[in-house]
């Protein structure tokens, strides 16, 4: 039986941060991961350049049944704290857009920083280690694992969410929560592309690869970013962001020309007397391939496409404005956990201390990172949550 002060199950962003913090406090720490290497999601993140934080982080960019839960940790460990760490390793990075910070070189640099920090704290990292059973003792836990029996005082569950099972995601953390009587909220794939079917799928397929700036709206949330048509449906940052707020059966409204008023443009074009077509006029503002396909939609009377602009009726102009500014679609589904960046929902935050991350009903058991019911926007927010929750728990484990 090997003994540690702290065992962290899951060597991802939150687990490594928690282990390094606890190790540097002098705790004897081991990280157990069932995968063949740790930090796989860090390596694949941000298109290989890891969008490791966002300088505009506020609690409003996180979704949880209890929106107050994340406030304390986000205050105690801010993006600037992570930047201090990054500066200490002379990591070259840049701000891409909307406060999103990316590595100049590769995501591996972020993982190397975390592993170096773990090293400083004497943390042991054990891969290919599956935990078979967990039993609570009078003070601490006994684990049976494929690498033998382990005892620890504090046990941290940092096994992440369900997205990308091929990268090592499992529902293990939720099962541990249930074993110890913690409730788990409903989970769904989030930051995920929408699938389409029937006629709309054919349209998306014919436009596959076309990207344009839009606003996407669902409920009272609205995002102004790019939309990308794909051979399965809709993707791009605007769609991923709104998917965080979307529930099956709900409509999404998309403004395909968000920086212009088509109503005003049509008035101007009618007034200037030039004889170019609607298609040519719109192609100055939108990708031509998109305009050609869009004007063929049954949303618009056929006459609209062929009529001289000056002859458009008020009703036809209104149909055009609706079709470009208020395209409403009810996606039949999403691409699911296969491509989702995160899982919405998780271990109910009401059962966990927002200060220590310890389960309120089980002394010594902690939950950090994405396994909790806290989901961030696209743009470095989810890593910031992993760093903040991992760091704060690391102070107490
Ligand atoms: C393709 C992709 C790109 C992303 N890009 C970004 C980005 O640029 N910026 C951003 O902020 N967020 C991004 N995210 C989200 C971000 O990666 C996660 O929110 C974050 O990694 C969560 O950290 P975590 O430590 O909680 O979980 P994870 O990083 O998922 O780590 C969980 C760890 O637990 C291990 N594990 C799971 N089950 C077990 C088990 N039974 N036993 C032992 N170990 C187990 C896993 O192998 C893994 O190492 C991206 C996600 C994906 C999928």
């Amino acid at each position: 039986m090997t003994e540690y002060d702290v065992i962290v199950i899951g060597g991802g962003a939150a687990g490594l941060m928690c282990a390094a913090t606890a190790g540097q406090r002098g705790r004897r720490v081991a990280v157990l991961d069932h995968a063949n290497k740790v930090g796989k999601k860090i390596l694949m993140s941000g298109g290989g350049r890891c969008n490791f934080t966002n300088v505009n982080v506020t609690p409003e960019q996180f979704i949880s049944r209890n929106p107050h839960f994340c406030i304390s940790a986000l205050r105690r460990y801010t993006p600037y704290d992570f930047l201090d760490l990054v500066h200490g390793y002379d990591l070259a990075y840049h701000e891409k857009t909307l406060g999103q910070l990316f590595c100049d070189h590769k995501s591996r640099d972020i993982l190397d920083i975390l592993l170096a920090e773990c090293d400083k704290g004497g943390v042991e990292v054990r891969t290919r280690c599956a935990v078979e059973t967990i039993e609570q003792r009078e003070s601490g836990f006994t684990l049976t694992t494929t690498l033998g029996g382990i005892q620890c005082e504090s046990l941290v569950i940092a096994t992440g969410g369900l997205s990308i099972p091929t990268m090592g995601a499992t529902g293990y953390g939720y099962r541990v929560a249930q074993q110890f009587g913690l409730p788990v909220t409903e989970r769904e794939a989030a930051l995920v592309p929408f699938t389409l079917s029937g006629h709309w799928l054919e349209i998306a397929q014919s436009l596959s690869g076309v990207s344009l700036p839009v606003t996407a709206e669902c409920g009272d949330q609205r995002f102004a970013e790019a939309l990308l048509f794909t051979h399965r449906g809709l993707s791009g940052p605007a769609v991923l962001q709104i998917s965080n707020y979307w529930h099956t059966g709900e409509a999404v409204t998309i403004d395909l020309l968000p920086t212009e008023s088509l109503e005003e443009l049509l008035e101007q074009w009618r007034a200037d007397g030039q004889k170019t077509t609607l298609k040519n006029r719109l192609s100055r503002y939108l990708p031509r391939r998109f305009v050609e396909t869009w004007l063929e939609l049954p949303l618009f009377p056929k006459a609209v496409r062929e009529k001289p602009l000056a002859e458009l009726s008020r009703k036809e102009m209104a149909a055009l404005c609706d079709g470009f500014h208020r395209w409403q679609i009810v996606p039949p589904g999403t691409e699911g956990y296969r491509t989702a960046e995160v899982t919405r929902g998780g271990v109910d935050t009401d059962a966990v201390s927002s200060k220590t991350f310890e389960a309120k009903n089980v002394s010594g058991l902690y939950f950090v990172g994405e396994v909790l019911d806290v989901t961030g926007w696209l743009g470095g927010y989810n890593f910031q949550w992993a760093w903040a929750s991992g760091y704060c728990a690391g102070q107490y484990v």
Side-chain angles (χ1 to χ4, degrees), residues 10 12-14 33-34 45-46 51 158-160 164 168 170 172 341 370 380 382-383:
D33 202 299
H34 69 149
S45 66
N51 178 192
T159 46
I164 326 260
T170 66
Y172 185 71
E341 283 203 11
E370 201 185 312
N382 286 295
F383 277 139

Side-chain angles (χ1 to χ4, degrees), residues 310-333:
E311 289 173 25
L312 287 177
S313 68
R314 291 278 149 207
K315 208 170 150 201
E316 287 164 339
M317 293 207 300
L320 277 168
C321 292
D322 269 355
F324 281 85
H325 284 310
R326 285 172 290 280
W327 175 39
Q328 222 183 49
I329 182 136
V330 180

Side-chain angles (χ1 to χ4, degrees), residues 110-142:
I110 294 290
L111 181 56
D112 285 345
I113 290 177
L114 291 168
L115 291 175
E117 288 293 304
C118 281
D119 244 20
K120 271 192 204 168
V123 173
E124 285 177 37
V125 176
R126 298 194 170 190
T127 53
R128 298 181 202 272
C129 176
V131 178
E132 286 154 351
T133 61
I134 301 175
E135 267 178 52
Q136 192 177 16
R137 289 176 297 125
E138 210 174 308
S139 125
F141 300 86
T142 302

